[in-house]
Amino acid sequence: LRFLQSGEFLWASERTGFCHLSIHDATGRELRALTEGEWMVTGQVAVDEERRLVYFQSTCAGPLEQHLYVVSLDGGPLQRLTPEPGWHNTVISPDGRFCVDTWQNLEHPARLTLRSLPAGQVEALLFEHEEITPAALGLRPPEITSFRTHDGVLLYAAIYASEETRASTQPHPLVVAV
C-alpha cells in the first residue's frame, strides 16, 4: 500500500494468483491495473509522483530472471530498464534520478552499475570482478531443470552436483528449499 499526494493509492494484490500493481482513487475504487500477466511483481522499488511513474522489480521476463521495470500511473506499456539476462536487484536514489543495479547470472559474478532514470542507461560501473567466475574458482554452475506437476504446473529446480555425483548410481541426499 502506497498513498500518493494526489489522493490516489497504489496497491499490490495477489487476487489473480500473481502479485500485481493497481492504482485506486481516494474512495478505494480501482482506476486501473498497472501490471497483469502470469508473472510476479517481486518488489515495488519507487514512485516518482511528479512524472507519475512506478519503478518495480518483476519476473515478467520469466521466473528465472528479475528485472527493473517502469510503468506510468496513468497506464500504458511496461518498459524494462535492465537488459542483461539474469537477476537484478535495484535501489532507487531518494530523488528518483538514479538507481544502483546489482546484476548477476549463473556464469557471471555480481556487477554493480549506476543507472540514470527513467531510461535505465548505465552511467558508471561501480564494481566488477570479471575474472572471478565459477569456472575460475573450480566450481560448476547449477544445472537448471524444469518439470510439470500432475496438474500441469511448471516448476523449476537447480541441481548442484559434481560430475562424480551425477555419474554415480548411489542414492544422494536431497535438499528442497521452497
Side-chain angles (χ1 to χ4, degrees):
L1 175 63
R2 180 76 163 280
F3 292 100
L4 307 179
Q5 293 175 358
S6 65
E8 300 165 307
F9 64 90
L10 188 64
W11 181 255
S13 168
E14 293 184 9
R15 71 174 177 255
T16 65
F18 297 91
C19 184
H20 284 290
L21 302 175
S22 56
I23 187 82
H24 299 253
D25 68 16
T27 68
R29 182 177 59 92
E30 182 177 313
L31 300 173
R32 73 193 60 80
L34 300 178
T35 63
E36 60 186 359
E38 292 189 4
W39 49 272
M40 302 284 285
V41 170
T42 54
Q44 178 190 327
V45 177
V47 177
D48 182 336
E49 291 192 54
E50 187 176 307
R51 294 184 192 154
R52 294 195 52 82
L53 299 174
V54 179
Y55 297 96
F56 62 93
Q57 295 175 162
S58 86
T59 61
C60 183
L64 302 178
E65 297 193 18
Q66 176 175 274
H67 292 276
L68 177 65
Y69 291 83
V70 64
V71 67
S72 171
L73 286 168
D74 300 316
L78 306 179
Q79 180 183 353
R80 184 168 132 181
L81 302 179
T82 50
E84 304 86 358
W87 202 261
H88 293 263
N89 281 310
T90 54
V91 177
I92 307 288
S93 66
D95 64 5
R97 294 179 48 224
F98 299 97
C99 75
V100 173
D101 174 26
T102 304
W103 166 75
Q104 62 190 345
N105 65 26
L106 294 177
E107 284 82 33
H108 196 282
R111 178 177 76 190
L112 264 63
T113 55
L114 178 68
R115 294 180 181 272
S116 59
L117 297 175
Q121 179 180 344
V122 174
E123 298 294 329
L125 177 63
L126 303 176
F127 176 81
E128 182 173 39
H129 256 303
E130 283 186 335
E131 65 278 0
I132 301 180
T133 63
L137 296 173
L139 302 172
R140 179 181 178 168
E143 173 190 344
I144 303 298
T145 187
S146 63
F147 57 93
R148 291 208 179 267
T149 62
H150 69 279
D151 57 350
V153 175
L154 182 62
L155 298 178
Y156 291 89
I159 300 173
Y160 292 83
S162 67
E163 288 298 327
E164 180 182 322
T165 300
R166 291 173 191 270
S168 171
T169 59
Q170 299 297 314
H172 298 284
L174 175 67
V175 177
V176 176
V178 178

